[in-house]
Amino acid sequence: ETGVTQTPRHLVMGMTNKKSLKCEQHLGHNAMYWYKQSAKKPLELMFVYSLEERVENNSVPSRFSPECPNSSHLFLHLHTLQPEDSALYLCASSQDTGLGPFGELFFGEGSRLTVL
Amino acid sequence: AQSVSQHNHHVILSEAASLELGCNYSYGGTVNLFWYVQYPGQHLQLLLKYFSGDPLVKGIKGFEAEFIKSKFSFNLRKPSVQWSDTAEYFCAVNSGGYQKVTFGTGTKLQVIP
């Protein structure tokens, strides 16, 4: 049990589909993240939300659209994806006090996305 | 932009061998440093972290890491590995004023019984 739950764990979609990834954190944290994990590449930060406001958008294509309705939930809406978007998408959370050093990230188990 | 280099992509060791995984980063200012581990089929989790103070940091399961500022390095060590240490290890650095962490490409460690 990680405290960060991601659904679905596996998703196969066509290039014309619209789907969403969901993340829920049960840790009372105030910051949430989407990362992309591809083979032999560093984890790529996609989006950061702090106190439900987007504070980082790492030049992610518009076919990825995040939504953070509250501090416990984070969505990644997907539409007209490309095969190269196939990857493991990780959600993470952290507690940002804004006062001291950045703390650790708590990760979910990821959603494995395959785009056909 | 900040970058993190992990020199070894795949390491194979026998049980009881000593381990050292290299990590170098590019940023010259104040940094927070982390090692994360991903066991097979599990989520990424924190192994140890360095914010300030003693540059030799001890983490869980007998792991330690040494921050050498002059070398921009934060190498992970364990004197005697076990089969259960088989996992992928990621070095990460935070140099931003807000929550932004840069990860290395990871090192897959395979420990042979």
Side-chain angles (χ1 to χ4, degrees):
Chain A
E1 177 58 48
T2 73
V4 179
T5 304
Q6 290 188 240
T7 54
R9 295 291 309 279
H10 298 273
L11 178 63
V12 179
M13 59 187 289
M15 293 168 60
T16 58
N17 291 158
K18 288 186 180 181
K19 297 284 184 184
S20 296
L21 306 180
K22 179 183 175 183
C23 176
E24 182 175 0
Q25 59 100 356
H26 315 277
L27 301 169
H29 290 164
N30 59 8
M32 296 187 76
Y33 312 73
W34 281 115
Y35 278 88
K36 177 182 179 182
Q37 186 177 22
S38 305
K40 299 184 180 179
K41 294 176 71 176
L43 266 71
E44 299 172 50
L45 177 65
M46 300 176 72
F47 301 102
V48 180
Y49 278 83
S50 178
L51 299 172
E52 300 151 44
E53 273 193 39
R54 189 192 301 180
V55 296
E56 175 77 11
N57 176 358
N58 231 18
S59 302
V60 179
S62 60
R63 57 187 184 267
F64 295 92
S65 174
E67 179 189 0
C68 187
N70 54 61
S71 60
S72 299
H73 293 87
L74 184 65
F75 294 88
L76 187 63
H77 303 300
L78 316 168
H79 62 98
T80 58
L81 294 190
Q82 305 297 311
E84 59 264 29
D85 296 322
S86 298
L88 183 67
Y89 289 84
L90 296 173
C91 175
S93 70
S94 72
Q95 184 61 26
D96 173 29
T97 65
L99 298 175
F102 170 74
E104 72 178 278
L105 290 165
F106 290 78
F107 285 89
E109 294 183 333
S111 294
R112 173 73 60 186
L113 173 66
T114 302
V115 182
L116 302 176
Chain B
Q2 171 75 268
S3 66
V4 178
S5 298
Q6 291 184 242
H7 318 297
N8 314 101
H9 297 294
H10 196 179
V11 173
I12 302 174
L13 294 174
S14 298
E15 274 192 316
S18 64
L19 170 72
E20 180 159 3
L21 301 181
C23 173
N24 288 91
Y25 60 92
S26 62
Y27 185 70
T30 301
V31 292
N32 300 322
L33 301 160
F34 307 83
W35 276 97
Y36 284 84
V37 61
Q38 190 171 28
Y39 297 104
Q42 295 189 28
H43 63 283
L44 269 167
Q45 56 190 285
L46 185 72
L47 197 57
L48 49 78
K49 61 188 177 188
Y50 171 81
F51 288 163
S52 63
D54 188 344
L56 185 62
V57 179
K58 295 196 184 297
I60 60 172
K61 302 185 180 185
F63 285 90
E64 65 179 29
E66 185 175 13
F67 170 49
I68 303 179
K69 189 174 182 179
S70 60
K71 294 184 178 181
F72 300 91
S73 70
F74 189 56
N75 292 354
L76 181 70
R77 299 195 292 248
K78 185 171 183 178
S80 176
V81 294
Q82 301 172 317
W83 176 78
S84 58
D85 294 324
T86 294
E88 190 160 14
Y89 294 81
F90 295 87
C91 181
V93 177
N94 175 31
S95 58
Y98 48 87
Q99 309 90 322
K100 183 172 181 178
V101 180
T102 303
F103 284 81
T105 51
T107 297
K108 288 188 178 177
L109 171 65
Q110 183 180 355
V111 180
I112 302 170

